[in-house]
């Protein structure tokens, strides 16, 4: 690179450029949301670990989803809260890149875990007699480990491609965390390869899994309509509808953010979309699963009764 280019050491996150009164309000509101995210997902994870009746493949993957949601929110939200309190928050370049790496890794894991959960529901409803074989403990462990390993490897590809770029300014990111598209704007060279890899990864990690989920639930819907028992209908719809709500929220916001043309999404709108999949979705997931799932509500009641007896 040319000698007159200066390398970035510190980056300013502009965050939400609003008045001080609104910043205080948003800081308090997002702090509550973040607390609810940690509390809700922590409760879901704890109940699944402690209640033997929830030691099934579906709740095994739900516990992984809870871990991912807590990690995902913790990677982004604390910096956002600091940004709101300090108006302009500075972050060093390497921690910024690490935040981008973890944000991508956790997002990829969530996509894959949601696909695996849809496959679990497909096997449970469409092939109940083979469920214990197709979703054995070993198979579940392999699927979970593969999701984590593959997600971090894919995020590592993005990280390597980012680090090969020369960064010489501007020293500001118009976002509340180091989101990958915002980080690429700091580069002083063409980022076409990064953009192509991001789009290809979106097709592979968003569109592909979403198609698999839709196919799974199309088969599930046909199988549910064949169930004669009213109780069977209700139980199947209860577990599947909660999962579909989570899938719709996460995949919808992510696809709009990364696969729609950039001209349709001004920077302020991108921040709002980012809030959906890094704060609102992790907060809503435990609420959706606890409110719409009879087994989770039953486990909660059993845990509260034990607490009272003690």
């Amino acid at each position: 690179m040319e000698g007159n280019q200066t390398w970035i050491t510190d980056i300013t996150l502009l965050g939400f450029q609003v008045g001080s009164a609104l910043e205080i309000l948003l800081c308090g509101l997002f702090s509550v949301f973040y607390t609810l995210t940690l509390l809700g997902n922590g409760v879901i994870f704890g109940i699944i670990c402690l209640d033997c009746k929830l030691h099934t493949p579906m709740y095994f993957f739900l516990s992984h989803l809870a871990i991912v949601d807590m990690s995902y929110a913790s990677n982004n939200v604390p910096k956002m809260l600091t940004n709101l309190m300090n108006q302009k928050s500075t972050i060093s370049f390497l921690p910024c890149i690490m935040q981008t790496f973890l944000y991508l890794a956790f997002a990829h894991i969530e996509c894959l875990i949601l696909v695996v959960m849809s496959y679990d529901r497909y096997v449970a409803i469409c092939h109940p007699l083979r469920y214990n074989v197709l979703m054995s403990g070993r198979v579940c462990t392999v699927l979970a480990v593969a999701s984590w390993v593959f997600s971090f490897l894919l995020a590592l590809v993005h990280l390597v491609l980012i680090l090969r770029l020369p960064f010489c300014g501007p020293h500001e990111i118009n976002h509340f965390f180091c989101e990958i598209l915002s980080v690429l704007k700091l580069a002083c060279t063409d980022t076409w390869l990064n953009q192509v890899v991001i789009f290809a990864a979106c097709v592979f990690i968003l569109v592909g899994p979403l198609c698999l989920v839709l196919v799974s639930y199309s088969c599930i819907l046909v199988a549910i309509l064949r169930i004669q028992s009213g109780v069977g209908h209700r139980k199947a719809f209860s577990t599947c509808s909660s999962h579909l709500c989570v899938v719709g929220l996460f995949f919808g916001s992510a696809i709009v953010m990364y696969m729609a043309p950039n001209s349709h999404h001004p920077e302020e709108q991108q921040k709002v979309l980012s809030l959906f999949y890094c704060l609102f979705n992790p907060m809503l997931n435990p609420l959706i699963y606890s409110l719409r799932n009879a087994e989770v509500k039953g486990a909660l009641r059993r845990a509260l009764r034990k607490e009272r007896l003690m």
Side-chain angles (χ1 to χ4, degrees):
M1 299 304 296
E2 296 178 6
N4 62 352
Q5 290 176 336
T6 57
W7 292 91
I8 293 175
T9 55
D10 293 316
I11 299 168
T12 300
L13 296 173
L14 299 180
F16 297 95
Q17 299 173 50
V18 295
S20 56
L22 187 54
E23 280 188 338
I24 294 171
L25 177 63
L26 289 176
C27 184
L29 190 63
F30 293 156
S31 296
V32 172
F33 288 167
Y34 180 51
T35 303
L36 289 175
T37 298
L38 296 181
L39 184 63
N41 285 287
V43 167
I44 291 288
F45 180 75
I47 286 174
I48 292 172
C49 290
L50 296 174
D51 196 309
C52 295
K53 292 186 178 180
L54 299 184
H55 290 179
T56 63
M58 174 182 171
Y59 296 105
F60 171 75
F61 294 119
L62 182 55
S63 67
H64 280 265
L65 187 64
I67 293 172
V68 171
D69 283 339
M70 288 188 287
S71 304
Y72 199 21
S74 297
N75 182 54
N76 303 323
V77 177
K79 194 63 183 176
M80 178 181 69
L81 297 177
T82 303
N83 187 299
L84 287 169
M85 289 187 289
N86 298 333
Q87 293 188 339
K88 283 188 178 181
S89 176
T90 302
I91 184 172
S92 298
F93 181 73
L94 287 179
C96 179
I97 296 301
M98 184 55 64
Q99 187 183 52
T100 303
F101 169 72
L102 292 175
Y103 143 76
L104 290 170
F106 292 133
H108 296 156
I109 295 167
E110 181 136 359
C111 290
L112 296 179
I113 290 294
L114 288 174
V115 173
V116 172
M117 289 176 71
S118 70
Y119 173 71
D120 170 72
R121 291 299 84 204
Y122 164 75
V123 175
I125 294 173
C126 298
H127 303 283
L129 298 179
R130 300 177 61 197
Y131 182 73
N132 290 332
V133 176
L134 294 176
M135 296 302 294
S136 64
R138 183 177 180 181
V139 171
C140 292
T141 302
V142 169
L143 288 173
V145 171
S147 298
W148 282 83
V149 171
F150 178 79
S151 298
F152 273 91
L153 288 176
L154 184 56
L156 187 62
V157 172
H158 290 292
L159 179 65
V160 170
L161 290 175
I162 289 173
L163 291 177
R164 60 177 274 277
L165 297 172
F167 290 92
C168 51
H171 294 247
E172 293 180 339
I173 290 179
N174 190 12
H175 216 295
F176 56 83
F177 74 103
C178 294
E179 191 270 332
I180 186 169
L181 296 179
S182 299
V183 170
L184 290 178
K185 292 177 182 177
L186 303 179
C188 49
T189 188
D190 190 9
T191 60
W192 69 270
L193 179 59
N194 299 74
Q195 301 285 352
V196 168
V197 172
I198 289 171
F199 186 82
C202 285
V203 172
F204 186 75
I205 209 78
L206 286 175
V207 178
L210 181 59
C211 291
L212 291 175
V213 170
L214 293 177
V215 169
S216 296
Y217 277 98
S218 298
C219 297
I220 288 171
L221 180 61
V222 172
I224 288 175
L225 294 176
R226 292 175 182 168
I227 298 175
Q228 302 297 323
S229 167
V231 176
H233 269 119
R234 285 193 296 273
K235 185 175 181 181
F237 273 117
S238 174
T239 56
C240 294
S241 60
S242 59
H243 185 229
L244 277 175
C245 288
V246 173
V247 166
L249 284 170
F250 184 82
F251 280 92
S253 57
I255 287 174
V256 169
M257 177 72 179
Y258 288 102
M259 302 202 71
N262 290 335
S263 58
H264 292 179
H265 305 297
E267 289 177 326
E268 295 305 315
Q269 190 175 344
Q270 288 182 11
K271 296 175 191 176
V272 175
L273 287 170
S274 297
L275 280 175
F276 269 94
Y277 57 81
C278 71
L279 180 59
F280 296 150
N281 283 358
M283 179 188 68
L284 291 174
N285 284 356
L287 292 176
I288 292 171
Y289 279 109
S290 60
L291 292 176
R292 297 187 62 86
N293 192 298
E295 290 178 331
V296 173
K297 287 189 285 188
L300 273 170
R301 284 193 292 267
R302 287 192 295 273
L304 290 174
R305 281 198 214 102
K306 288 181 181 178
E307 189 66 30
R308 287 172 188 166
L309 291 172
M310 292 174 65

